């Protein structure tokens, strides 16, 4: 793994040790080869994600664009929001975990109603402080409890690093494994609207989850 050359003043970089064999560290450009390989092991990752940019097969150029985008976003924002999941601090990427400000348009009223309003630093407008989870794990590591531990740890990061009052997560209703991950982390079912997915050319039912922190 190549060294990350991102400026050290960026917040929430980690590394964060989730467990003896699980780490969250910044995504670096050399992770592109691992992202490319893992998403192309089978269709499970692409089928589990909303983004029409994540397809199966997954092009090498898209993997490079993803890792470069992670570096660019944290450099611009001054805070890390997407981490590589590794089984040692300097090991290869085996998955991705992210926490971002929740913003799903019409869904927001369903998820964020009742969350205390806060005024972000440097802003004159109030917004509901609700985070949004995103994650995937290599098919080679599925069933080992890695993601359950990452999400549970990530909820603490959401409060400590970002100050979120509530965190929201979604997955397809037929993705029972992802539903179990969020349930084990203490998240409860919440309303979710069906979603048209361009890469499948169909509308899929969504399972929503939420937790107050």
């Amino acid at each position: 793994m190549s060294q990350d050359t991102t400026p050290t003043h960026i917040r929430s970089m980690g590394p964060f040790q989730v467990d003896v064999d699980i780490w969250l560290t910044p995504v670096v450009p050399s992770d592109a080869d691992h992202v490319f390989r893992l998403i192309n092991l089978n269709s499970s990752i692409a089928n589990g994600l909303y983004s029409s940019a994540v397809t199966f097969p997954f092009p090498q150029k898209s993997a490079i664009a993803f890792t470069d985008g992670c570096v660019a976003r944290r450099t611009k924002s001054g805070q890390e929001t997407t981490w590589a999941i590794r089984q040692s601090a300097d090991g290869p990427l085996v998955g991705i975990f992210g926490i971002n400000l929740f913003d799903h348009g019409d869904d927001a009223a369903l998820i964020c109603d009742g969350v205390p309003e806060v005024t972000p630093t440097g802003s004159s407008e109030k917004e509901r402080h609700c985070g949004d989870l995103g994650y995937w794990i290599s098919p080679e590591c599925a069933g080992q409890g890695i993601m359950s531990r990452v999400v549970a740890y990530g909820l603490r990061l959401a409060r400590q690093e970002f100050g979120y009052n509530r965190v929201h997560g979604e997955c397809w209703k037929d993705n029972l494994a992802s539903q179990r991950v969020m349930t084990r982390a203490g998240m409860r079912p919440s309303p979710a609207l069906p979603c048209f997915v361009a890469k499948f050319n169909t509308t899929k039912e969504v399972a929503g989850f939420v937790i107050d922190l």
Side-chain angles (χ1 to χ4, degrees), residues 71-129:
V71 175
R73 282 191 297 274
R74 67 174 175 250
T75 301
K76 181 178 180 179
S77 70
Q79 186 161 29
E80 183 63 277
T81 60
T82 303
W83 300 269
I85 303 170
R86 308 184 194 277
Q87 294 184 288
S88 62
D90 59 353
L93 178 150
V94 298
I96 289 291
F97 176 75
I99 308 171
N100 291 281
L101 182 66
F102 178 80
D103 181 11
H104 282 3
D106 292 341
D107 267 358
L110 298 174
I111 304 304
C112 295
D113 184 49
V115 177
E117 291 186 337
V118 297
T119 302
T121 302
S123 172
S124 60
E125 297 185 1
K126 291 184 176 181
E127 61 185 28
R128 298 186 186 279
H129 221 42

Side-chain angles (χ1 to χ4, degrees), residues 22-42:
I22 308 174
W23 293 76
L24 297 177
T25 75
V27 174
V28 295
S30 60
D31 287 326
D33 287 342
H34 300 291
V35 171
F36 172 71
R37 186 184 76 83
L38 297 179
I39 294 180
N40 284 308
L41 285 174
N42 59 44

Side-chain angles (χ1 to χ4, degrees), residues 44 137-146:
S44 62
I137 191 72
S138 164
E140 297 171 328
C141 297
Q144 300 179 24
I146 292 174

Side-chain angles (χ1 to χ4, degrees), residues 120-169:
T121 302
S123 172
S124 60
E125 297 185 1
K126 291 184 176 181
E127 61 185 28
R128 298 186 186 279
H129 221 42
C130 182
D132 191 39
L133 298 181
Y135 53 82
W136 58 262
I137 191 72
S138 164
E140 297 171 328
C141 297
Q144 300 179 24
I146 292 174
M147 194 54 73
S148 293
R149 287 178 282 172
V150 167
V151 169
Y153 186 91
L155 293 176
R156 297 199 296 272
L157 285 183
R159 182 64 178 172
Q160 296 167 5
E161 295 287 326
F162 301 91
Y164 288 131
N165 305 106
R166 178 175 288 184
V167 171
H168 162 263

